[in-house]
Amino acid sequence: MIATDTAQLCFHCGNECPDDHIHIEEKYFCCDGCKTVYEILDQNNLCNYYQIEEKSGNTPQISRFEFLDNPEIAKTLLDFQNESISKVTFYIPTIHCSSCLYLLENLYRLHEGIERSQVDFLKKQVAVTFRHNVSDKGITFRQLAELLSAVGYEPLMSLNDVVKEKKQPNDRKLLTQLGLAGFCAGNIMLFSFPEYLGLQDDTYKLLFGYLNIVLATPVVFYSASGYFESVYKSLRKGIVNIDFPILLSILVAFFRGIYEVIFNHGAGYFDSVTGLIFFLLIGKWFQQKTYHFLSFERDYKSYFPLAVTRLVLGEHESVSVSALKKGDKILIRNGELIPADSLLYKGEANIDYSFVTGEAALERKQLGDFLFAGGRQVGASIEMEVLKDVSQSYLTQLWNNDTFQKEQESRIKSFSNLVGKYFTFGVLTLAFSVAIYWYFTDVSKMLNAFSAILIIACPCTLSLSYPFALGNGLRILGKQHFYLKNGDVIETMANCDTIVFDKTGTITTSEGAKPQFQGKRPLSVFAEMLVVSLAHNSSHPISQKIKEISGKKHFLAIEDFYETTGKGIEGKYHGHFVKLGSSTFVNPSLKAESKSFSASVAHLSIDDEYLGYFTLPNHYRKEIESTIKNLGKNYDTYLLSGDNQSERAHLESWFKNKEYLHFDCTPQEKLAFIKKLQAEGKKVIMIGDGLNDAGALKQAEIGIAVTDDTLNFTPMSDGIIAAEHLKELPTYLKYSKFALKLIRFSYVFSLMYNCIGLTFAVQGTLSPIVAAILMPVNSITLVGIASIGMVVKGNKMFKNRE
């Protein structure tokens, strides 16, 4: 640390920089207050980290991103990296409209090394997947950050990632710009009083006119600097964004005002210009604060109901993933997700990173290897040591990987994006046409009409209803233990007309009496230990129930473990071969006999000798019968089960049509049945346990996984519902339908608002400053309708269900 005479302030968080900065290879340091990495460019001013060196040809090299060339620093910021692919989540404070979404989700058009990018509008995040090998036409981490900065979306970078640590970015610059605009606008209106009162003293009129120019200049070029940067960087990429007509209106009014003052034609339009900027910044500040609130609520209160097995002195205990800390030992079974970056210290890992990359190739890992969060173990259970605390927002991002998105378009969102894309050109055409008309008719109204049209018809307001309404919907449903991927799911769910239920693990529960073994002879202690240890490697509800029959907390090390979806599990221990599952899986000759059982069964063979079967009595979830009957009033309800038909007579009264119950279904048959319903024009919600139903969950318009606090959820699902809250599904569906009605109402309101405003604007009777007031009022009104409406309705529907 180089001592300085005066205390320095951190550029990012505004805190005083202490004398014990964390140094990184002597060239960088990290502010203790906000963990932002800075490059030391000036030893007398350690917080100066801005230096841009133009390189001939392309995007400028930005020295403040040079630290991303350091592999150790980059590793702390990347979400995932293998030999060819890297994933990173950027926090970008400047995301504010549908044009931002369009540009950021089309980054691949700007560089072929970028494979995909996905924007979370509410959190102002963009998740980017890119090829980091430059030799393969890839792009480096640093180049990616520089590209984003070059197009006007500079990412907020820090060692202690601001997105994962839920740190709200500082609003100091925006508040400073807002304060300056308000101060200057107030004084300009004061100096304009002679003009307002009709006093024609040319001396004071000229003096106050020049004072107004002096006051308006910093407002235009500092307070409104964000518009200049946004428009300049978008135009460099050949894009006209929503900020363009607003900036055009500001500049026209500003320079027209200078012309009038200098040539003594009038007082100019400086009160309108500064007032316009002041109220635009108020609207931006309000939106930003609301976005931060929704992001905070989503991150901190909508945790998945997931648990992981933690090892404490050899004993197994189930804990919430949010309770995991660095240094904890955890057990991951077949099919379970790695919840945090960890070190493998026991077992053979075959990791499926399709959850992260979308590619299903397995990666074999050895003892001591580093395993990224998001991988799924395939094979016998493994034990690991957690190296990083769990980031719940990262789990959400993995779940929301666009690789697993359904190929269906949101009609409301498409309309909003279409408006955002073409509305700007329509407004510009209208503004110039009206300006030309008034130029030849009444030139005194030309500037008023031109400016007012550009301001009041800003399409930003139209794009607010969708994210705010559905963002609040996600938050409120999350509090009710119903977790959805994104807002689009609410819209799609509201349009569905058919609900298909799985049976085992969905409408039934593993709670209740222990499994009973029926065989030619009782199981020996060793045979029981083999069965329990085999079942321990699987996360299936039946396996987990069988695992508990011995009450032991220590298990044998099963080798060559393999789980066949929908059939059973098998493995070896010191030459002993064990199989547990369906009759056809364990012994095909038992197929006819299996249909006579009155409960769920799991057959057992050891060393190819059939020993018998475990019976697991069916225990149905609380109030599930009334739930299904209630849903049957408004939806077609079906049952698809892999079990035998022993429960048909009991379940037939729950469903409106006896023909809607199907048993002995394989996972492939469930998938085919969903496709058949869709071919008939039905929009399907599939509800399953996420294990044997992955294909059906993905195929359905909406797939909902029911969970009993297990980490075995699937990316194919669109929603996760805590099992004890399945009875609330009818209420959740009603709430989703209300959300769509509210969004449609707010769209109609916004269009009517803009049409009325434009009616006055084209006549030249609407002052630009009045338009500037009406624009944020419109935004605030829409946000209020979307947010307050969802909150009030949610409180009313769920007040007795907390």
Side-chain angles (χ1 to χ4, degrees):
M1 170 68 187
I2 304 295
T4 57
D5 294 332
T6 59
Q8 302 296 325
L9 297 180
C10 171
F11 182 90
H12 170 56
C13 66
N15 295 325
E16 183 173 314
C17 295
D19 290 337
D20 55 342
H21 287 76
I22 302 171
H23 284 268
I24 304 172
E25 296 191 352
E26 298 182 354
K27 194 173 182 181
Y28 307 97
F29 74 91
C30 179
C31 171
D32 283 352
C34 62
K35 307 301 182 188
T36 302
V37 177
Y38 297 96
E39 180 181 4
I40 300 175
L41 303 178
D42 183 353
Q43 298 290 1
N44 295 318
N45 183 9
L46 293 179
C47 287
N48 174 19
Y49 69 109
Y50 281 88
Q51 177 179 339
I52 299 180
E53 302 170 356
E54 289 287 347
K55 296 247 177 146
S56 58
N58 298 317
T59 303
Q61 290 288 310
I62 305 175
S63 293
R64 64 181 177 277
F65 292 126
E66 187 176 349
F67 68 90
L68 296 179
D69 290 332
N70 185 314
E72 294 302 317
I73 297 176
K75 186 177 180 181
T76 65
L77 298 173
L78 289 169
D79 296 327
F80 172 81
Q81 187 175 59
N82 60 16
E83 294 181 356
S84 58
I85 297 295
S86 292
K87 282 181 66 86
V88 64
T89 300
F90 290 113
Y91 180 85
I92 302 180
T94 52
I95 296 176
H96 69 284
C97 66
S98 55
S99 287
C100 302
L101 269 79
Y102 176 79
L103 178 60
L104 291 173
E105 291 195 341
N106 286 274
L107 288 176
Y108 65 92
R109 299 177 185 271
L110 305 181
H111 196 291
E112 58 184 333
I114 300 174
E115 294 201 342
R116 66 177 68 91
S117 54
Q118 182 177 359
V119 176
D120 187 322
F121 191 63
L122 289 176
K123 296 182 182 178
K124 299 191 176 183
Q125 297 177 23
V126 56
V128 184
T129 301
F130 61 98
R131 299 193 309 275
H132 54 252
N133 293 328
V134 179
S135 58
D136 187 29
K137 298 182 180 180
I139 183 172
T140 67
F141 192 6
R142 176 184 177 180
Q143 290 171 341
L144 177 60
E146 290 170 349
L147 175 63
L148 285 168
S149 295
V151 296
Y153 298 96
E154 180 173 330
L156 182 59
M157 304 289 293
S158 70
L159 279 181
N160 212 3
D161 185 52
V162 69
V163 175
K164 296 177 183 176
E165 296 301 322
K166 321 296 187 301
K167 291 182 179 178
Q168 183 168 309
N170 192 277
D171 294 331
R172 172 173 294 189
K173 183 177 180 181
L174 177 59
L175 291 175
T176 302
Q177 292 173 325
L178 180 59
L180 176 65
F183 171 80
C184 293
N187 281 280
I188 288 173
M189 290 180 183
L190 180 64
F191 292 144
S192 300
F193 260 83
E195 182 73 16
Y196 296 156
L197 300 177
L199 303 177
Q200 300 299 321
D201 189 313
D202 291 341
T203 302
Y204 286 105
K205 183 178 179 180
L206 189 61
L207 173 62
F208 290 153
Y210 279 104
L211 285 175
N212 286 344
I213 293 176
V214 172
L215 288 170
T217 300
V219 176
V220 171
F221 294 101
Y222 173 71
S223 294
S225 60
Y227 293 100
F228 283 90
E229 295 171 6
S230 173
V231 171
Y232 169 70
K233 290 178 178 179
S234 67
L235 289 177
R236 284 184 60 187
K237 297 298 179 180
I239 299 169
V240 176
N241 65 9
I242 290 176
D243 292 334
F244 181 83
I246 298 175
L247 179 62
L248 181 62
S249 176
I250 291 172
L251 292 178
V252 168
F254 177 68
F255 287 109
R256 173 63 186 271
I258 292 177
Y259 170 80
E260 291 195 359
V261 169
I262 292 177
F263 292 96
N264 201 26
H265 293 308
Y269 298 88
F270 302 112
D271 52 350
S272 297
V273 171
T274 54
L276 162 64
I277 295 171
F278 176 66
F279 286 107
L280 289 176
L281 293 177
I282 287 178
K284 182 180 292 187
W285 175 83
F286 176 79
Q287 291 178 30
Q288 186 165 303
K289 297 300 288 186
T290 310
Y291 283 138
H292 293 164
F293 168 75
L294 288 180
S295 176
F296 176 87
E297 288 285 301
R298 176 74 166 156
D299 288 343
Y300 277 85
K301 294 189 177 180
S302 63
Y303 286 142
F304 296 153
L306 302 178
V308 65
T309 302
R310 183 166 61 186
L311 303 174
V312 180
L313 299 177
E315 298 289 325
H316 297 185
E317 64 177 9
S318 182
V319 298
S320 167
V321 292
S322 59
L324 285 181
K325 302 296 180 184
K326 182 178 179 181
D328 283 349
K329 306 297 191 300
I330 60 175
L331 176 84
I332 300 297
R333 303 181 185 88
N334 175 63
E336 288 187 335
L337 186 75
I338 299 173
D341 293 349
S342 305
L343 184 73
L344 178 66
Y345 72 86
K346 185 177 180 180
E348 182 177 308
N350 296 287
I351 308 300
D352 174 10
Y353 277 117
S354 61
F355 213 6
V356 183
T357 65
E359 300 174 0
L362 294 180
E363 296 185 16
R364 296 181 64 87
K365 298 294 182 179
Q366 305 299 322
L367 296 182
D369 282 352
F370 180 88
L371 302 181
F372 281 98
R376 188 186 292 276
Q377 166 66 354
V378 177
S381 58
I382 56 176
E383 296 179 12
M384 300 180 295
E385 178 179 344
V386 176
L387 298 181
K388 291 183 181 179
D389 290 350
V390 175
S391 170
Q392 199 75 38
S393 63
Y394 180 56
L395 289 180
T396 305
Q397 176 194 316
L398 290 175
W399 183 38
N400 204 22
N401 188 336
D402 60 354
T403 302
F404 303 106
Q405 295 300 308
K406 309 290 177 68
E407 294 183 0
Q408 52 192 19
E409 188 70 26
S410 162
R411 287 178 292 179
I412 293 180
K413 193 172 183 180
S414 297
F415 172 72
S416 178
N417 291 340
L418 187 66
V419 170
K421 187 174 180 180
Y422 296 107
F423 198 81
T424 299
F425 295 100
V427 169
L428 286 173
T429 302
L430 177 63
F432 279 108
S433 300
V434 170
I436 293 172
Y437 169 80
W438 285 116
Y439 178 79
F440 291 104
T441 307
D442 185 353
V443 72
S444 65
K445 294 183 178 181
M446 181 185 72
L447 188 58
N448 266 3
F450 180 79
S451 303
I453 290 172
L454 293 178
I455 297 164
I456 201 167
C458 176
C460 290
T461 56
L462 196 60
S463 63
L464 292 177
S465 299
Y466 192 89
F468 275 103
L470 299 187
N472 275 286
L474 290 175
R475 178 177 63 85
I476 292 168
L477 289 173
K479 287 183 178 181
Q480 301 300 319
H481 306 280
F482 186 31
Y483 311 94
L484 301 178
K485 274 187 175 181
N486 50 54
D488 294 349
V489 175
I490 296 179
E491 179 189 349
T492 306
M493 186 167 62
N495 291 321
C496 289
D497 53 24
T498 302
I499 301 177
V500 178
F501 288 93
D502 173 49
K503 178 174 170 283
T504 305
T506 301
I507 65 174
T508 65
T509 175
S510 60
E511 297 177 358
K514 287 186 177 181
Q516 299 296 317
F517 181 72
Q518 307 291 330
K520 298 178 181 178
R521 60 181 182 274
L523 291 178
S524 66
V525 174
F526 178 67
E528 183 180 273
M529 194 63 187
L530 283 177
V531 174
V532 168
S533 298
L534 178 70
H536 172 65
N537 287 273
S538 172
S539 57
H540 192 280
I542 293 179
S543 296
Q544 287 300 294
K545 197 63 181 176
I546 293 175
K547 182 194 73 173
E548 298 173 358
I549 62 174
S550 69
K552 297 183 182 298
K553 299 296 183 182
H554 298 275
F555 305 93
L556 303 176
I558 299 295
E559 301 173 345
D560 298 332
F561 175 86
Y562 188 77
E563 183 165 357
T564 303
T565 302
K567 294 184 177 180
I569 55 179
E570 57 187 294
K572 294 181 180 179
Y573 177 75
H574 287 197
H576 296 286
F577 184 52
V578 189
K579 297 183 75 173
L580 183 68
S582 68
S583 57
T584 54
F585 177 73
V586 173
N587 188 341
S589 65
L590 297 173
K591 182 175 181 180
E593 182 184 357
S594 67
K595 295 183 182 295
S596 64
F597 292 107
S598 60
S600 296
V601 298
H603 297 268
L604 171 67
S605 71
I606 297 179
D607 295 331
D608 294 326
E609 178 188 0
Y610 178 74
L611 298 181
Y613 56 88
F614 291 91
T615 60
L616 293 92
N618 287 310
H619 292 271
Y620 292 96
R621 299 194 185 278
K622 184 179 180 181
E623 299 182 31
I624 190 63
E625 179 180 356
S626 60
T627 298
I628 295 176
K629 289 181 177 179
N630 189 7
L631 289 171
K633 297 175 182 177
N634 300 302
Y635 297 87
D636 289 332
T637 52
Y638 292 80
L639 177 73
L640 298 181
S641 175
D643 284 348
N644 57 68
Q645 302 199 37
S646 60
E647 293 289 306
R648 173 181 283 276
H650 177 69
L651 294 173
E652 282 181 348
S653 62
W654 297 13
F655 295 82
K656 62 170 63 175
N657 190 325
K658 296 180 181 180
E659 302 301 321
Y660 287 179
L661 281 72
H662 301 269
F663 296 90
D664 296 306
C665 297
T666 65
Q668 292 75 20
E669 288 172 339
K670 292 180 181 180
L671 173 60
F673 188 81
I674 298 296
K675 290 182 177 180
K676 177 185 175 183
L677 291 176
Q678 292 173 327
E680 296 171 358
K682 298 183 181 295
K683 297 185 181 299
V684 182
I685 298 175
M686 174 67 195
I687 303 176
D689 61 6
L691 295 171
N692 300 333
D693 313 310
L697 289 173
K698 181 182 179 182
Q699 180 63 35
E701 275 74 14
I702 295 295
I704 299 175
V706 178
T707 176
D708 283 296
D709 291 332
T710 172
L711 199 60
N712 196 320
F713 71 94
T714 170
M716 309 303 182
S717 66
D718 301 288
I720 300 174
I721 188 170
E724 65 270 22
H725 290 272
L726 183 59
K727 60 185 179 181
E728 306 294 347
L729 184 61
T731 307
Y732 300 152
L733 294 174
K734 290 179 182 177
Y735 188 58
S736 69
K737 291 181 180 295
F738 170 79
L740 255 63
K741 293 179 182 178
L742 188 66
I743 292 171
R744 293 188 180 110
F745 171 78
S746 62
Y747 271 27
V748 172
F749 179 87
S750 178
L751 289 172
M752 290 177 59
Y753 193 102
N754 280 340
C755 289
I756 293 172
L758 283 174
T759 302
F760 291 99
V762 297
Q763 298 177 47
T765 58
L766 185 65
S767 168
I769 191 169
V770 174
I773 295 172
L774 292 177
M775 179 184 167
V777 167
N778 188 14
S779 300
I780 293 170
T781 303
L782 284 177
V783 170
I785 292 173
S787 300
I788 297 175
M790 293 296 288
V791 171
V792 170
K793 186 66 173 180
N795 290 338
K796 182 179 179 181
M797 297 182 74
F798 303 121
K799 64 180 179 180
N800 296 322
R801 297 174 171 85
E802 293 293 337

